[in-house]
Amino acid sequence: MAAGCGAPEPRVLLCLGALLARWVAAGLEAIIVGELHESITLHCGNISGPRGLVTWYRNDSEPIFLLSSNASLMPAEPRFSLVNASSLHIEVLSLQDEGNYTCQEMWNGTRSFPVWLQVASGPDHIEVNISATGMLANGTLYVVKGSQVDFSCRSSAQPPPVVEWWFQAHSSPESFGSNLTVTCFTLLLMSQNLQGNYTCLATSTLSGRQRKVITELLVYSPPPSPPQCWAEMLLESSALQLTCRWDGGYPDPNFLWTEEPGGAIVGKSKLGVEMLNRSRLWDGKKFKCVGSHIVGPESGASCVVQIRIPSLFSEPMKTCFVGGNITLTCQVSEANPPAKIQWLRNLAQPEVVIQPDSHYLIAQEGQSSTLTIHNCSQDLDEGYYVCRAENPVGVREVDIWLNVKEPVNIGGIVGTIVSLLLLGLAIISGLMLYYSPVFCWKDILIIFPPLEIRGQDMGDVMVLVDSEEEEEQGNAAEEEEEEEEETEREELPKEIKQHGHIHRVTALVNGNLERMGNGLQDLQDDSSEQQSDNVREEDRPV
């Protein structure tokens, strides 16, 4: 048996190769796909029932014997074995195992069944590259909002797989496209909507095997404006609360509070809120908040808070009439944090805080507070009122004295004032008439001219007074002549005798300067004529 079990003759192999070529050309071969490094079984036709002698060949340039159901023939490799006395089982497939195989069966003749074996490898390894800005401690990638990001995905597989990109934001996935070998694309101006999971999917075209890599990409943005910080007082504990805000960025920044100067750390957190008791506070002390963001400036951004004790301003005294209303005002300035303003009553009980009711109305706008007292009463409301301003830095108080008076009779006051004015006017007029007799009734004619000249223009009135002194007549012989002269002087226009002086008055009406000159000339002529008459009378014999 051993001798009879020789190798097939070359003539038989050539005939088998020609037959296989015809079958392949006719498209009668079976296609089997196996995975690299896996096992595969090639069936010898689709025949059930008893089988004859089965021999397997590998079809290269020449048929190569692999295995036979004849026990005297050894397999070409230990990886080859016969299953069910007809099927070829190959273990640990390699890429070199890919090719055409032929099963030849001798049963009531010779039958051959061609099989085409394809070996698929991968995709086992997927390489994903994203040009991200940075990576978090957990491996998550992040980019800056508005930046440009490049994406690429590669896979080593045989044959080359189909590569696809998928993006999932919120709940709906979206495909960016596919390519047979590699998919590369670029996203411009990254926005918050493009934050999510990016999936690279590689699929084998032979085996349908898939591999995917999911990469989470975050889109960060720094706050657009500087941080803001302030101090406020908690009503429950009167403690100081420092608050720092830096809104508009993603993710939330970190905050560091320090004392200035010196840089002593007060606290560090993501909330930016710190609590301080009064033992660490004094007027003018400064606190600095430094905000840092993962994609913000390296030095961060800061703001400073300076705490101040309140300063008060108010009028020290107010007056209210019985039954009336009065408003006391208290203005607070320079207080940081804003002060709590209270109104207190009386120095004897300074801790009794006034509560708003129908008698007291308290209103506050910003750091200005008003206390309105309705229906003032001298017994109940007169006295000191205290305005107190308090913040965690300190307390300041200011006293306001309220004087409540009975209402005054305004009509009586007005009547008294008018009477006093009239009395004063009468006294002044009497003194002027007593010491200056020039004001006489004849002067009224100057102010109120006769009826025949009232129709003229009284716009301008000028009074000219000329006085000349005469010597007193000492002897009794000339008394008669003086009487005659006095009679003549009464006929002259407006002559007045006072203390031995004669005053001649000429009135100029309507601002006529020429007439005023004529009046003066007439007065002088009259005076000359009178002197001439006096001389003539003196020359006459007595």
Side-chain angles (χ1 to χ4, degrees):
M1 289 183 64
C5 295
E9 296 181 358
R11 182 180 299 176
V12 175
L13 293 177
L14 291 175
C15 293
L16 180 60
L19 181 61
L20 289 175
R22 290 194 298 269
W23 284 344
V24 171
L28 300 176
E29 61 207 332
I31 300 176
I32 304 297
V33 177
E35 293 280 347
L36 183 65
H37 305 306
E38 301 293 335
S39 300
I40 190 69
T41 297
L42 306 181
H43 298 283
C44 184
N46 190 14
I47 299 174
S48 60
R51 306 299 297 267
L53 180 63
V54 176
T55 304
W56 282 91
Y57 297 92
R58 170 78 179 272
N59 299 321
D60 289 333
S61 57
E62 293 182 357
I64 300 175
F65 173 76
L66 299 178
L67 183 66
S68 176
S69 60
N70 186 354
S72 61
L73 300 176
M74 299 297 295
E77 294 184 19
R79 298 184 300 118
F80 301 144
S81 61
L82 204 60
V83 179
N84 296 328
S86 61
S87 300
L88 174 62
H89 182 74
I90 305 174
E91 295 185 358
V92 191
L93 281 175
S94 64
L95 295 177
Q96 289 75 19
D97 292 330
E98 186 176 79
N100 293 320
Y101 292 80
T102 300
C103 171
Q104 183 180 12
E105 181 183 11
M106 299 181 67
W107 177 264
N108 296 328
T110 301
R111 294 183 298 181
S112 298
F113 302 96
V115 178
W116 183 17
L117 175 61
Q118 293 181 331
V119 179
S121 64
D124 293 327
H125 175 70
I126 296 179
E127 180 182 357
V128 175
N129 291 318
I130 300 177
S131 60
T133 302
M135 180 184 296
L136 302 179
N138 60 359
T140 303
L141 301 177
Y142 64 88
V143 296
V144 180
K145 181 180 178 180
S147 62
Q148 174 180 318
V149 182
D150 299 326
F151 296 81
S152 65
C153 180
R154 291 179 173 84
S155 175
S156 57
Q158 183 62 35
V162 175
V163 179
E164 296 177 294
W165 274 102
W166 291 83
F167 169 67
Q168 183 174 9
H170 306 293
S171 60
S172 58
E174 179 182 355
S175 175
F176 283 146
S178 62
N179 192 286
L180 294 177
T181 57
V182 62
T183 297
C184 298
F185 64 94
T186 300
L187 293 180
L188 304 176
L189 298 176
M190 291 292 293
S191 64
Q192 206 69 33
N193 297 331
L194 296 176
Q195 175 177 279
N197 294 329
Y198 291 81
T199 301
C200 176
L201 177 65
T203 304
S204 174
T205 57
L206 292 179
S207 62
R209 183 179 179 182
Q210 293 183 334
R211 290 288 186 271
K212 65 180 179 179
V213 174
I214 300 176
T215 304
E216 183 180 8
L217 184 63
L218 303 177
V219 180
Y220 288 166
S221 59
S225 58
Q228 297 180 350
C229 49
W230 63 90
E232 55 187 344
M233 180 178 63
L234 298 181
L235 299 179
E236 297 81 5
S237 60
S238 297
L240 179 68
Q241 176 176 299
L242 298 175
T243 305
C244 191
R245 287 288 179 268
W246 199 15
D247 299 328
Y250 177 77
D252 294 332
N254 296 319
F255 298 100
L256 174 65
W257 278 102
T258 59
E259 295 181 1
E260 296 297 327
I265 297 178
V266 176
K268 184 177 182 180
S269 66
K270 278 188 169 295
L271 298 177
V273 178
E274 299 295 335
M275 305 295 298
L276 296 177
N277 53 31
R278 295 192 174 187
S279 61
R280 303 177 61 179
L281 307 178
W282 60 81
D283 187 28
K285 188 173 184 179
K286 296 181 180 180
F287 296 92
K288 182 178 181 180
C289 173
V290 179
S292 58
H293 194 271
I294 187 171
V295 294
E298 295 182 2
S299 58
S302 62
C303 56
V304 177
V305 172
Q306 184 178 20
I307 58 176
R308 301 300 301 268
I309 194 170
S311 296
L312 295 179
F313 172 78
S314 180
E315 297 182 17
M317 180 178 296
K318 298 285 286 186
T319 301
C320 178
F321 293 107
V322 175
N325 301 332
I326 189 66
T327 299
L328 309 181
T329 303
C330 183
Q331 181 68 42
V332 181
S333 61
E334 299 182 358
N336 192 22
K340 176 183 178 182
I341 305 176
Q342 293 178 322
W343 289 93
L344 299 92
R345 180 73 172 92
N346 292 334
L347 291 177
Q349 296 177 340
E351 298 300 327
V352 178
V353 179
I354 298 177
Q355 301 297 330
D357 54 17
S358 59
H359 187 61
Y360 296 109
L361 176 62
I362 298 177
Q364 182 170 343
E365 182 178 355
Q367 288 289 276
S368 178
S369 178
T370 58
L371 171 64
T372 302
I373 303 173
H374 296 281
N375 193 15
C376 290
S377 172
Q378 192 170 16
D379 297 333
L380 299 178
D381 299 323
E382 188 174 58
Y384 277 105
Y385 289 82
V386 180
C387 175
R388 171 185 292 177
E390 178 183 4
N391 69 359
V393 187
V395 180
R396 289 285 176 86
E397 295 179 350
V398 63
D399 298 333
I400 303 174
W401 173 261
L402 178 61
N403 186 20
V404 181
K405 294 182 178 181
E406 293 290 340
V408 182
N409 187 356
I410 303 299
I413 295 176
V414 173
T416 303
I417 294 174
V418 172
S419 301
L420 292 176
L421 291 176
L422 294 176
L423 179 59
L425 182 60
I427 294 173
I428 294 172
S429 300
L431 292 175
M432 292 177 65
L433 291 175
Y434 179 76
Y435 289 103
S436 300
V438 69
F439 297 97
C440 62
W441 293 110
K442 292 184 178 181
D443 293 336
I444 299 177
L445 297 176
I446 300 175
I447 303 175
F448 302 96
L451 295 176
E452 59 269 20
I453 63 173
R454 288 182 181 177
Q456 300 180 8
D457 186 7
M458 302 299 295
D460 298 320
V461 176
M462 180 176 180
V463 177
L464 177 63
V465 178
D466 184 17
S467 64
E468 64 179 23
E469 186 176 2
E470 295 183 354
E471 297 180 355
E472 296 182 355
Q473 303 298 329
N475 52 50
E478 295 178 354
E479 289 180 359
E480 184 179 355
E481 296 178 1
E482 290 177 355
E483 292 178 359
E484 294 178 358
E485 291 175 359
E486 289 177 359
T487 304
E488 293 177 357
R489 283 196 295 270
E490 288 179 358
E491 296 176 357
L492 294 175
K494 297 181 177 62
E495 291 184 0
I496 302 172
K497 180 178 180 182
Q498 177 185 1
H499 301 292
H501 295 78
I502 295 178
H503 300 269
R504 296 178 179 88
V505 180
T506 301
L508 174 62
V509 181
N510 296 331
N512 194 325
L513 187 60
E514 182 178 356
R515 292 178 59 187
M516 181 185 73
N518 296 334
L520 290 175
Q521 185 65 35
D522 294 341
L523 182 60
Q524 292 175 1
D525 294 342
D526 293 341
S527 178
S528 299
E529 292 177 359
Q530 181 179 355
Q531 291 178 2
S532 300
D533 293 340
N534 291 336
V535 172
R536 286 195 299 269
E537 290 179 359
E538 290 177 358
D539 292 340
R540 286 182 300 179
V542 178

